[in-house]
């Protein structure tokens, strides 16, 4: 059986600067796969390349065996890939409800009410603030909204980019609990990019380590948590 997401020999450039240098990885259906690494390692670039912007110069991205490397981003979303980006990037002048409606534009409107209730059940704070502008929410609430907006597109593959960034520890625990719940209860396949290595590896079925645009290590989340090199580089300061 082929993986849901397969990245092969991927090279991405910003001008003349090579950001991804032959990346290979897979994400199987139903898995949580984490990608950890330091700032500037290329993690966010990988997620954006999977979504078609920037475009890979060499290599392939396949979704359920189909080559999506050259597809425009909107077609990749329609194929079932959704991203909650670094920095959340919600629409600050739109209400919570309007942000969630934007997430649902690529899906059948018949599913909207059920999907909305599912997101509100997952994030009750969003239900309480459904008519509040996104820009007036707290950082944690904006992150919930970014994840909820991605889920409204009914993805087969959910890409999460630094969901804990800048959040208080209590909110971080809540966000990671919801990620685990989405995977367990909905069978959602999740590819998680995260600097908080401890939480990312604890959550992951499998994980990869990226450095300078290359995958330098992989294994189960538990294996990498126990690895002395990983502990020294990423966990001792966590």
């Amino acid at each position: 059986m082929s993986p849901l997401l397969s990245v092969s020999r991927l090279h991405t450039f910003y001008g003349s600067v090579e950001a991804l240098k032959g990346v290979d990885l897979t994400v199987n259906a139903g898995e949580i796969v984490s990608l950890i690494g330091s700032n500037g390692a290329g993690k966010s670039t990988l997620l954006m390349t999977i979504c078609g912007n920037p475009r890979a110069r060499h290599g392939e991205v396949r979704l359920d065996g189909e080559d999506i490397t050259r597809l425009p981003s909107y077609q990749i979303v329609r194929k079932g890939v959704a991203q909650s980006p670094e920095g959340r990037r919600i629409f600050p002048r739109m209400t919570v409800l309007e942000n969630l409606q934007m997430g649902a534009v690529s899906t059948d409107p018949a599913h909207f009410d059920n999907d909305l209730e599912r997101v509100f059940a997952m994030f009750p704070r969003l239900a309480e603030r459904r008519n509040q502008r996104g820009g007036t929410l707290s950082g944690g609430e904006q992150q919930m909204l970014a994840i909820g907006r991605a889920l409204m597109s009914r993805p087969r593959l959910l890409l999460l980019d630094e969901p804990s960034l800048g959040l208080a520890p209590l909110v971080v625990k809540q966000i990671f609990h919801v990620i685990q719940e989405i995977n367990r209860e909905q069978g959602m396949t999740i590819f998680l990019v995260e600097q908080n290595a401890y939480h990312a590896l604890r959550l992951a079925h499998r994980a990869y380590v990226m450095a300078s645009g290359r995958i330098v290590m992989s294994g189960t989340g538990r294996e990498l948590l126990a690895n002395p090199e990983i502990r020294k580089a990423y966990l001792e300061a966590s």
Side-chain angles (χ1 to χ4, degrees):
M1 181 173 137
S2 63
L4 181 60
L5 174 70
S6 176
V7 173
S8 305
R9 306 176 305 282
L10 206 65
H11 294 259
T12 300
F13 287 74
Y14 293 113
S16 61
V17 177
E18 188 174 19
L20 299 180
K21 304 170 182 176
V23 172
D24 292 277
L25 59 78
T26 59
V27 179
N28 297 315
E31 282 189 312
I32 298 176
V33 173
S34 292
L35 177 65
I36 65 170
S38 59
N39 265 332
K43 305 185 304 298
S44 293
T45 297
L46 176 59
L47 287 198
M48 292 189 295
T49 302
I50 291 167
C51 292
N53 185 22
R55 189 75 67 198
R57 189 171 297 182
H58 307 292
E60 278 187 348
V61 178
R62 289 187 173 270
L63 182 70
D64 205 13
E66 179 184 356
D67 188 350
I68 62 169
T69 318
R70 307 294 166 198
L71 292 182
S73 296
Y74 75 91
Q75 287 189 16
I76 293 171
V77 172
R78 288 178 179 171
K79 296 285 185 185
V81 180
Q83 183 180 14
S84 174
E86 182 181 4
R88 297 143 204 164
R89 298 186 199 170
I90 61 162
F91 300 105
R93 295 188 179 186
M94 290 184 176
T95 65
V96 166
L97 181 58
E98 288 167 341
N99 269 272
L100 295 173
Q101 288 172 329
M102 290 298 289
V105 294
S106 63
T107 63
D108 185 342
H111 299 303
F112 180 80
D113 289 341
N114 285 338
D115 292 344
L116 185 65
E117 287 310 308
R118 190 178 297 120
V119 168
F120 282 161
M122 207 175 298
F123 298 115
R125 297 289 286 276
L126 296 183
E128 295 167 12
R129 289 158 172 72
R130 69 176 69 198
N131 296 316
Q132 190 171 324
R133 285 190 178 188
T136 67
L137 301 177
S138 70
E141 290 162 353
Q142 289 187 15
Q143 186 60 67
M144 295 172 195
L145 181 55
I147 295 173
R149 182 180 61 185
L151 290 172
M152 289 297 292
S153 71
R154 304 188 131 227
R156 289 189 285 164
L157 174 65
L158 178 62
L159 308 178
L160 299 176
D161 195 353
E162 303 286 5
S164 77
L165 190 65
L167 302 183
L170 196 61
V171 180
V172 170
K173 283 186 180 179
Q174 183 183 358
I175 293 291
F176 279 103
H177 173 74
V178 168
I179 293 169
Q180 190 171 48
E181 190 177 82
I182 293 167
N183 174 255
R184 282 181 178 171
E185 296 186 7
Q186 300 181 27
M188 180 73 65
T189 306
I190 298 171
F191 186 31
L192 169 67
V193 161
E194 180 57 58
Q195 276 197 20
N196 189 322
Y198 175 72
H199 281 296
L201 295 178
R202 253 185 104 226
L203 202 64
H205 298 103
R206 293 186 303 110
Y208 294 88
V209 182
M210 179 173 271
S212 301
R214 293 183 173 91
I215 300 297
V216 295
M217 195 178 297
S218 65
T220 67
R222 187 172 296 179
E223 286 169 350
L224 293 184
L225 267 176
N227 184 293
E229 286 182 61
I230 298 300
R231 296 190 69 82
K232 183 176 180 181
Y234 301 106
L235 299 177
E236 289 180 359
S238 296

